[in-house]
Amino acid sequence: MTQVPSVGPKAGRREPYVSARPARATGKDRAYVRAAAPTLEAVAARAGVSRATVSRVVNGSPKVHPDSREAVRQAIAELGYVPNRAARSLVSQQSHAIALVVPEDITRFLGDVYFASIVAGITSRLEQSDYVLSLMVASQAPEGKMLRYLAGGAVDGVVVVSHHTSNHSLRQISELMPMVFGGRSAIPGVDAYVVDVNNVDGAAKATQRLIDRGCTNIATISGPLSMHSSLDRVEGWRRSLHDAGLMPGPVVDGDYSMLGGARAMREVLANYPEVDGVFVASDLMTSGAMPVVLERGLRIPEDIALVGYDDSPAVEACEIPLTTVRQPSEEMGREMADILLGVLSGDTDRPRTTIMPTTLIVRESA
Amino acid sequence: MTQVPSVGPKAGRREPYVSARPARATGKDRAYVRAAAPTLEAVAARAGVSRATVSRVVNGSPKVHPDSREAVRQAIAELGYVPNRAARSLVSQQSHAIALVVPEDITRFLGDVYFASIVAGITSRLEQSDYVLSLMVASQAPEGKMLRYLAGGAVDGVVVVSHHTSNHSLRQISELMPMVFGGRSAIPGVDAYVVDVNNVDGAAKATQRLIDRGCTNIATISGPLSMHSSLDRVEGWRRSLHDAGLMPGPVVDGDYSMLGGARAMREVLANYPEVDGVFVASDLMTSGAMPVVLERGLRIPEDIALVGYDDSPAVEACEIPLTTVRQPSEEMGREMADILLGVLSGDTDRPRTTIMPTTLIVRESA
DNA sequence: TTGTACGCGTTATCAT
DNA sequence: ATGATAACGCGTACAA
């Protein structure tokens, strides 16, 4: 679509618009004002055609004479013309921007490679479109700034990766524009697309690996049981065990942290000495749990086999190469963006929910 | 400034604008179209005043009769009116948005808590303004989409935290609008504000700590010497040593990674057995180096004292609580945003470069 | 204090 | 194929 030449360094002199320094503050305490950019009008004048024609070549309309087109192309290049976004949005009623809603605790969110990958996926998909991404932190006052911003027509759609945003504001947003959730399940009453990963299945695969290598006393170190993902992983673990006719070992909450993982492992060892396999619901927890096992003089995987989850950089912190479950986080992000873009371009029959598959990565710990 | 009521759930019926479902795709394969939002015009009609008056109360002009103001407030609330951003930008020539330029390797970037904190700081400052943040990945084609976007008037200013963006495009951007760098030094030829942390001083403090506790054979494990920050930290280390009249030990590149840290520590131990103190230029490297020391049966800090850098979550991975240097990353982000906002509001005499101080966090490893 | 009218830069609908 | 011309929604001199 829209094909406009790039703003090359030798964009040439901007005839009537030039100003010594391209931008400066006025004498008064007026706000900073940037140099006037060349407009359609200017290009038209230079090319000796009308604004309409320029608009046509900018938007790739087929019905324009090659000669005119060439003249316009020239003028655009010489002037370094770039369409004004605001004007375009105003008339087209589209901002060509989408918002990424993240939890208020943005540091923790961004610092987590899982989420970072999702964001990367989103941006990577967006890169090959002419949409841009705008960051919205679900602050204390979500009813306020964020809603006003979204309602102001600043974006055409929303992707939310936050787990914490209030259902209330989400519902309002979903009534305003298309919305897609990532890494969380649907919320009743909120009209949104959902892209999630199959936590149950991932956990089941991990547990099955333990079963396959002969473990019979299998425990799990879970995340906080208040989180959906934790629950699903416990569920998957339980399912594989059940299908194999095995008795489930203990479930210990490891808080999705390294220290928590270590603590949980100690607890497992203390209360369930016969343990010979553990499904640890995150690599980070595993990196804390593994040393505990090793310190006891137990061998991995011979005495106790360990399977992690995430295939995150935390695996590097493990002395024994970790068998783990990879989540397609970047693909998720890409899919989220793709869905939104699709809907925005009029594709009405996208599936409401997309479940992405996990992959078992076999290394040495199990 | 602009004070507009929030879009409450009971924003009331949008009289002439209502549509059953707030948004839907048209029959044709036209793009998704959202419901028409109430305009200034509508509010004016309902309040029985002119558009101009509504505009005045929306923008908090003092010269409007209390009665009118009240009537307008009413109407705005009832209609759930929110100013259209595009229209506003078009006339005011300001987008009230700023761009965050990040390196192409966005996963690595966002996954790093240091950068995540900076971003958090930026958003936190922006939250108390009416500016929004737009994410720009410095992709392979920086000359292309990004430049066009920025030149299109989509943002009023730019903050760049990337280390890799080409000087070329940066220069062009800096000619277009105000720009502030974070965590990197100024680039000749590029007109930008700089907010950086004093790496030299931080490293000097860390090393001084080692000196103060009696170490005399002090090595350093550095980051890649191609990076400015690495060089600065080595410089700080060297400076403290020099000031204390001590001979510098070896400098070993640990690649800013955990494995690299371990490898580097082994090298130090092998080639410099008399070592009794090491300044490790990142916590992550330290978390790799510490086990190496411990495995040798050496005590920390009695036999070898260790000081890290960053005060990152990686410190948790250290068995001995790590003495380290804290960087004010979130404050940096806030400062960056603050500077940009200041400049945009006409504040011409901000210092071109701001150096933020580091803090030594003393724990047990030194 | 309030309203009228014009302009911001584009797109799109008409004629031509 | 091309060119007037009318929106798009808002801010703001200027007039009243």
Side-chain angles (χ1 to χ4, degrees), chain B residues 194-244:
Chain B
V194 170
V195 176
D196 203 354
V197 56
N198 200 331
N199 279 302
V200 177
D201 188 59
K205 274 179 188 155
T207 309
Q208 189 60 48
R209 169 71 188 176
L210 293 171
I211 296 171
D212 288 347
R213 71 182 327 287
C215 300
T216 52
N217 298 106
I218 304 178
T220 184
I221 295 179
S222 74
L225 295 177
S226 59
M227 296 176 67
H228 267 292
S229 59
S230 303
L231 255 18
D232 286 349
R233 290 174 198 177
V234 170
E235 161 68 16
W237 165 79
R238 205 181 299 276
R239 201 178 68 187
S240 276
L241 256 26
H242 177 268
D243 291 353

Side-chain angles (χ1 to χ4, degrees), chain B residues 289-308:
Chain B
M290 190 177 280
V292 171
V293 175
L294 265 17
E295 274 167 18
R296 296 282 213 276
L298 265 21
R299 293 164 306 164
I300 298 174
E302 293 81 0
D303 299 322
I304 297 187
L306 251 36
V307 181

Side-chain angles (χ1 to χ4, degrees), chain A residues 239-259:
Chain A
R239 202 178 68 185
S240 276
L241 256 25
H242 176 268
D243 290 353
L246 257 29
M247 278 292 292
V251 177
V252 183
D253 181 352
D255 190 41
Y256 276 152
S257 72
M258 192 164 72
L259 262 34

Side-chain angles (χ1 to χ4, degrees), chain B residues 136-324:
Chain B
M136 307 266 14
V137 180
S139 61
Q140 329 54 344
E143 315 293 326
K145 193 184 166 190
M146 185 165 90
L147 235 33
R148 288 199 46 236
Y149 176 69
L150 299 175
V155 298
D156 297 334
V158 178
V159 304
V160 7
V161 193
S162 165
H163 289 276
H164 310 306
T165 318
S166 84
N167 299 2
H168 185 57
S169 54
L170 287 182
R171 189 180 55 64
Q172 283 190 60
I173 299 173
S174 76
E175 288 177 357
L176 246 30
M177 63 193 85
M179 177 159 100
V180 18
F181 287 163
R184 74 192 280 174
S185 46
I187 298 181
V190 178
D191 179 26
Y193 291 81
V194 170
V195 176
D196 203 354
V197 56
N198 200 331
N199 279 302
V200 177
D201 188 59
K205 274 179 188 155
T207 309
Q208 189 60 48
R209 169 71 188 176
L210 293 171
I211 296 171
D212 288 347
R213 71 182 327 287
C215 300
T216 52
N217 298 106
I218 304 178
T220 184
I221 295 179
S222 74
L225 295 177
S226 59
M227 296 176 67
H228 267 292
S229 59
S230 303
L231 255 18
D232 286 349
R233 290 174 198 177
V234 170
E235 161 68 16
W237 165 79
R238 205 181 299 276
R239 201 178 68 187
S240 276
L241 256 26
H242 177 268
D243 291 353
L246 258 28
M247 277 293 289
V251 177
V252 182
D253 182 353
D255 188 39
Y256 275 152
S257 73
M258 194 167 68
L259 262 33
R263 190 179 30 64
M265 181 56 89
R266 274 190 280 271
E267 186 175 331
V268 169
L269 256 20
N271 302 335
Y272 190 56
E274 62 271 42
V275 61
D276 58 4
V278 182
F279 163 53
V280 190
S282 87
D283 290 345
L284 193 58
M285 290 194 293
T286 316
S287 70
M290 190 177 280
V292 171
V293 175
L294 265 17
E295 274 167 18
R296 296 282 213 276
L298 265 21
R299 293 164 306 164
I300 298 174
E302 293 81 0
D303 299 322
I304 297 187
L306 251 36
V307 181
Y309 206 99
D310 285 342
D311 195 29
S312 77
V315 303
E316 283 187 22
C318 296
E319 307 175 48
I320 312 281
L322 187 63
T323 291
T324 187

